[in-house]
Amino acid sequence: MKTSLSKKHDFDAVFDSQKVYRLVLEALSHPTKVVSIQEHANKLQGSNPAYLALAMTLLDNEVSFNTCENRQLSDEISSLTHATRTVVEEADFIFVSEAGDWVAVIEHAQCGSLANPHSSATVIVQNKQNSGAPLNQLTFRGPGIDARATVLVTQTVKEILELRDAQCYEYPQGIDLIFVSDEGALFAIPRLVSFDGASQADDSFSFPPFLQALRSLFEEPSKLKEVE
Amino acid sequence: MSKNYNYAFLDEGSKREIRRATLKAVAIPGYQVPFGSRELPIGRGWGTGGIQLTLSLIGPGDVLKVIDQGSDESVNAVNIKKFVGLCTDIETTTETPEATLIQSRHRIPEIPLKNGQILIFQVPLPEPLRIVEAREEVTKKMHAEKDYAPLWLQLYESLIRYKKVTLASEYPCLVEGRYMMNPSPIPRFDNPKLHKAECLYLFGAGREKKIYAVPPYTDVVSLAFDDVPFEIESFGGKHCRLCGSTDTYLDEVFDQQSGKRFHQCSDTSYCRKLSSQKAQNRE
């Protein structure tokens, strides 16, 4: 009897890994710059292809990881990379996919020591944009940014950065953050990049155009009659 | 491309480790991240750190330039280019603006590097404190405590003894106000090019097993006292014998037969381009 073997995914461990690595390097050396790993993530099957593409690029049996309570993602990463599963406090890479998990992760992730700051966690967070949710305008500064960069970020990103700052790490200790969306849009905020001027963005940013009319109805109920 | 080796020579596990170290190095500018330096078909001390960085970075679509003391044609540069070409099939160039990756021994090209370009240095001695402290565990502690007093003292002693700072190359600089960094044996002339540059600088020391980085737009300040500012080399009005440049780093060339001394640009690519432009203008 003949059996045929087929690959579960088309992600090339040599060439796709190299491309994803260069994109992550680009993002980390230019904080706030958004790069897309979608083309490569699409070659992977699984619950979160973008996470798997990053795992295939950076993880192997030399490092440890944690996925909070996401068992399916943990199994997929483990089978693809042979990296060691461990608790948040000891993980080299932490993948956060569920809203709310990031609080415990930021508070307990390893931040390295003054002598060995590289022994710190890289936290990878799923960046979800809920339609209609307000965006926040933050101004970033630090290495990799020409003077300053003002960008719009989701409420979750802002809260994660605020919690990161609340840990009061003594530089060079700290954690490095990578945000990635389901569509593979990725940006990074390394430990030395600071932000200020958190303010809610203009209405035009917070509501997609197709929701603007609906919003005006909620804010000014008198208009409801006009519609009727 | 040779089919007997993995793409870019190194196995994927080695590349991953170097990549992880490089990402940490970018996140902590100036900090020396330890890594497991691999064996290569050339001896340690001949640019293995730079080659490992290049091999971990390179992929289809990249254009590689390799220079040795500014020269595209020296033995070290030519052989590294051949080696990388054999195991990757990528395109090589001598033109600085065309390259996406530039591996360099001891120089930064005269043409300012742009956003998206990566300059990879071959570093023999990454530890700037080694000159004042031999023990690795102690220098690591000194970095942790930002204790750079012995280095300042060395600079001061140089001023007292010789009335000037006598460091010709490997002039230490402070990265983002935190880490003292050895910029590899580039001449002082090149130190200011590290400050707030558009490109990414990566430093690989294969023998010493360290990787460090300077991301774009990072503060890199050469060590100096308030009343004794940092100075680059002065060539005292001398110019390149080939292109006539007076604002580039010049090498002194001694002609044994005539006993004469000449000066010419260390960056051969820049010099050749300028010479051909001048020749065209004359025509």
Side-chain angles (χ1 to χ4, degrees), chain A residues 13-15 17-19 21-22 24-26 28-30 33 55-60 62-63 93 114-118 120-122 142-147 171-172 176 190-192, chain B residues 6-7 12-13 15-20 22-24 26-29 31 33-34 56-62 100-101 115-116 118 140 144 176 178-179 198 200 202 215-218:
Chain A
V14 177
F15 297 105
S17 286
Q18 186 267 341
K19 290 285 181 205
Y21 164 61
R22 287 290 288 276
V24 174
L25 183 65
E26 175 80 5
L28 209 66
S29 52
H30 295 89
K33 180 177 179 177
M56 286 281 284
T57 304
L58 299 172
L59 272 61
D60 56 25
E62 298 284 320
V63 292
F93 292 88
L114 291 174
N116 292 301
H118 65 283
S120 52
T122 301
I145 298 173
D146 189 6
Y171 182 76
D176 305 309
R191 66 193 69 189
L192 204 47
Chain B
N6 188 32
Y7 182 84
E12 291 307 304
K15 285 186 204 168
R16 260 192 301 274
E17 197 209 342
I18 296 165
R19 287 168 181 170
R20 285 194 297 263
T22 307
L23 293 179
K24 281 293 173 202
V26 171
I28 316 167
Y31 171 70
V33 183
S56 73
L57 287 159
I58 208 157
D62 274 322
T100 55
L101 300 175
N115 205 331
I118 301 175
K140 206 157 175 56
E176 207 59 30
R178 178 57 180 84
Y179 276 108
E198 282 188 32
L200 169 64
L202 297 177
Y217 311 112
T218 300

Side-chain angles (χ1 to χ4, degrees), chain A residues 74-138:
Chain A
S74 177
D75 289 343
E76 287 166 352
I77 291 176
S78 182
S79 70
L80 283 171
T81 67
H82 304 294
T84 312
R85 287 183 243 233
T86 190
V87 292
V88 168
E89 289 82 355
E90 293 171 9
D92 298 313
F93 292 88
I94 306 171
F95 296 85
V96 184
S97 48
E98 298 297 324
D101 281 349
W102 54 264
V103 176
V105 167
I106 304 293
E107 285 176 350
H108 296 107
Q110 58 174 344
C111 63
S113 63
L114 291 174
N116 292 301
H118 65 283
S119 303
S120 52
T122 301
V123 180
I124 300 156
V125 184
Q126 194 155 25
N127 188 23
K128 282 181 182 166
Q129 168 65 35
N130 298 322
S131 59
L135 292 171
N136 297 275
Q137 189 171 300
L138 300 184

Side-chain angles (χ1 to χ4, degrees), chain B residues 159-172:
Chain B
L159 282 172
I160 295 299
R161 281 184 190 168
Y162 309 109
K163 310 283 185 211
K164 62 179 181 181
V165 177
T166 52
L167 292 170
S169 62
E170 293 188 282
Y171 195 98

Side-chain angles (χ1 to χ4, degrees), chain B residues 274-283:
Chain B
L274 208 67
S275 301
S276 64
Q277 271 176 5
K278 284 187 174 174
Q280 277 178 356
N281 291 343
R282 265 184 250 122
E283 287 167 9

Side-chain angles (χ1 to χ4, degrees), chain B residues 184-203:
Chain B
S184 88
I186 55 172
R188 278 181 295 164
F189 185 87
D190 285 344
N191 267 33
K193 295 177 191 171
L194 294 166
H195 179 65
K196 298 272 184 202
E198 282 188 32
C199 67
L200 169 64
Y201 293 112
L202 297 177
F203 300 78

Side-chain angles (χ1 to χ4, degrees), chain A residues 129-135 200-208 212 215:
Chain A
Q129 168 65 35
N130 298 322
S131 59
L135 292 171
Q200 213 158 79
D202 296 343
D203 288 355
S204 55
F205 290 117
S206 58
F207 269 69
Q212 290 294 336
R215 186 187 189 185

Side-chain angles (χ1 to χ4, degrees), chain B residues 124-176:
Chain B
L125 295 168
E127 182 52 78
L129 298 168
R130 189 64 68 229
I131 199 163
V132 293
E133 174 55 59
R135 291 163 295 176
E136 173 71 10
E137 60 180 309
V138 177
T139 53
K140 206 157 175 56
K141 194 176 171 193
M142 288 166 77
H143 279 296
E145 295 171 352
K146 205 184 169 185
D147 174 14
Y148 298 130
L151 218 49
W152 285 103
L153 187 62
Q154 194 212 20
L155 217 62
Y156 178 72
E157 281 179 352
S158 177
L159 282 172
I160 295 299
R161 281 184 190 168
Y162 309 109
K163 310 283 185 211
K164 62 179 181 181
V165 177
T166 52
L167 292 170
S169 62
E170 293 188 282
Y171 195 98
C173 39
L174 197 65
V175 181
E176 207 59 30

Side-chain angles (χ1 to χ4, degrees), chain B residues 2 4 7 15 21 28 44 47-48 88 92 103 106 115 117-118 130 172-174 203 216 225 250 254 257 271:
Chain B
S2 171
N4 297 325
Y7 182 84
K15 285 186 204 168
I28 316 167
R44 295 241 164 98
T48 52
T88 59
T92 58
Q103 184 174 326
H106 308 181
N115 205 331
Q117 289 183 301
I118 301 175
R130 189 64 68 229
C173 39
L174 197 65
F203 300 78
F225 295 103
L250 300 173
F254 177 65
Q257 287 182 332
C271 186

